[in-house]
Amino acid sequence: MNKLPFAFPPGIVKSPQQLNGILWNMASFGIIAGVGLGLNFVVAFYYDVAVLGIFNQVYAIYILLSQVAVGGVHLSVLKSVSESHTELDRVKQIFSSGFFLTLVTSMFIAMLTYVLSDYFGFALRSPEVGIGVVCIAPGLLFFSLNKTILALLNGLSKMKAYAIFQALRFIFMLLFLLLLVWLGAPGYYVPIIFSCAEGLLLFLMLIPARNYLEFHHLSSHKDLYYSHAVFGLKAAGGNILLDVNTRIDVIILGLFATDRVVGIYSFAALVVEGFSQFPTVIRTVVNPLITQNYYSQSRDVFQKTLWKIRNLSYLALVPLGILICLGYPLIYKVVPDPDLIASQAPLYTLMAGAILGGGYLPLLMVFNQTGYPASQTLLIFIIFLTNLILNILLVPSFGMIGSAIGTGLTFALQIIYMRWLSYRVIGIRV
């Protein structure tokens, strides 16, 4: 089955379908990382570093509000579909109720975001950020529905389709960005690419998802609305903080620094985020397997399965991270902007922490997948609080280097948090 130049550890990949899913998601990871970096190149090259700073501050707000909009319902859909993946009628009920509930919550948040857009610009001392927030409001609705559909595909282990749609999201963003450049649109309109890309993606994803939608039975699924809402509320806090944690450094830096400084730092931060997509790919593939193995294996066997996932991640991440650090100076030959040269120190600092803690990133949702959403929220809250406190302490005095140090240390400290909490809750050490 495994014809790769290296072998996946036994117990993780149990079928050709699972291996195929991993390969498709690895390819998707490469596209996402490359296109994500390309977005920043295009903004920096055709606009300037200040516009890049505006774009990434709006992106941080978008990540926060999109998770509020979906309300953790997609996590309930993922877990419930993973458990009932062989029962088609039950899967339809789970997904349809989750989709409708997400439609209601995300529509409310999208409208509220539009009304409050000026306040974001005021808080970050940038009117252009407020304009950008208006541009992302429709995308909050589209993104939330897409997130629920992706949870369905993930729970059903349809990883090829999952990988394709994930990659298309970023490809569409790049295409819409190039269209804005061609039209000569002002830089503060760049964030509209999120709404355009998510809208187009939703149109495409509804084609396979329609087979699982049953709106005519929605009124009879009150129990599912309740379970989605309860599970979502328990898990939403952690999921919101999980994604916001990837942007809290940009937000804190934006409170103390100019759009230009934020742009310099965010360029390096997004390179590291692209690198972090690899363990995220592994996490996406193994999330349903963690649920299935937790209920079918002994505690010792389950613990060894998690260790194999962790070790595989480190095996891939360490050389990849080193390679990115060695190749980073080549960026200046493509975009010879003196401002971007200053991003080298934050990049190396962030990457050191990302490599050290990266082996544990695929296991970050282990509590959610084993039925402990409150513990999942606690873990992410501790990680988020650590990152927030370190950035608040270091950014005022050390600027973007302080932000990189704080976020890099958080990557490393999450190892201690995960090992402690997994032992307390599940009785194992990851």
Side-chain angles (χ1 to χ4, degrees), residues 38 57 62 120 124 126 195 224 259 301 384 425:
Q57 288 175 84
Y62 177 72
F120 289 98
L124 294 169
S126 176
S195 294
L224 284 173
D259 290 339
V301 174
F384 169 80
V425 176

Side-chain angles (χ1 to χ4, degrees), residues 228-374:
H228 283 322
V230 171
F231 190 97
L233 287 174
K234 289 181 179 178
N239 196 60
I240 291 169
L241 294 178
L242 175 62
D243 279 358
V244 174
N245 188 59
T246 65
R247 284 290 185 279
I248 191 62
D249 48 351
V250 173
I251 294 174
I252 298 299
L253 188 60
L255 294 175
F256 293 96
T258 64
D259 290 339
R260 172 185 167 275
V261 172
V262 176
I264 295 171
Y265 175 83
S266 60
F267 191 89
L270 283 171
V271 172
V272 177
E273 182 182 340
F275 163 80
S276 298
Q277 287 294 322
F278 188 83
T280 302
V281 167
I282 301 176
R283 184 170 73 220
T284 299
V285 173
V286 303
N287 268 343
L289 302 181
I290 288 176
T291 300
Q292 296 161 21
N293 290 334
Y294 176 72
Y295 291 107
S296 64
Q297 296 179 343
S298 68
R299 183 171 297 178
D300 289 341
V301 174
F302 180 65
Q303 177 173 266
K304 290 178 181 178
T305 299
L306 298 184
W307 287 351
K308 291 172 184 176
I309 297 171
R310 177 198 64 191
N311 295 340
L312 170 64
S313 187
Y314 273 126
L315 182 65
L317 282 174
V318 173
L320 179 61
I322 294 174
L323 184 63
I324 291 175
C325 289
L326 293 175
Y328 191 72
L330 297 176
I331 291 176
Y332 314 138
K333 296 184 181 298
V334 180
V335 184
D337 189 331
D339 284 334
L340 293 184
I341 297 177
S343 67
Q344 192 167 355
L347 180 281
Y348 294 149
T349 305
L350 288 168
M351 187 63 77
I355 292 174
L356 184 58
Y360 284 78
L361 287 178
L363 307 177
L364 203 55
M365 300 299 292
V366 65
F367 299 109
N368 185 74
Q369 294 304 118
T370 53
Y372 298 97

Side-chain angles (χ1 to χ4, degrees), residues 29-41:
F29 147 75
I31 294 173
I32 291 172
V35 174
L37 186 59
L39 289 171
N40 287 271
F41 269 123

Side-chain angles (χ1 to χ4, degrees), residues 21 32 67 78 88 90 96 99 106 110 140-141 144 172 181 225 260 323 328 368 383 416 430:
I32 291 172
Q67 295 304 326
L78 172 59
L88 179 59
R90 183 62 177 172
S96 297
F99 188 87
S106 60
L140 298 175
L141 170 63
S144 300
F172 290 160
V181 171
Y225 291 130
R260 172 185 167 275
L323 184 63
Y328 191 72
N368 185 74
I383 295 173
I416 299 174
V430 295

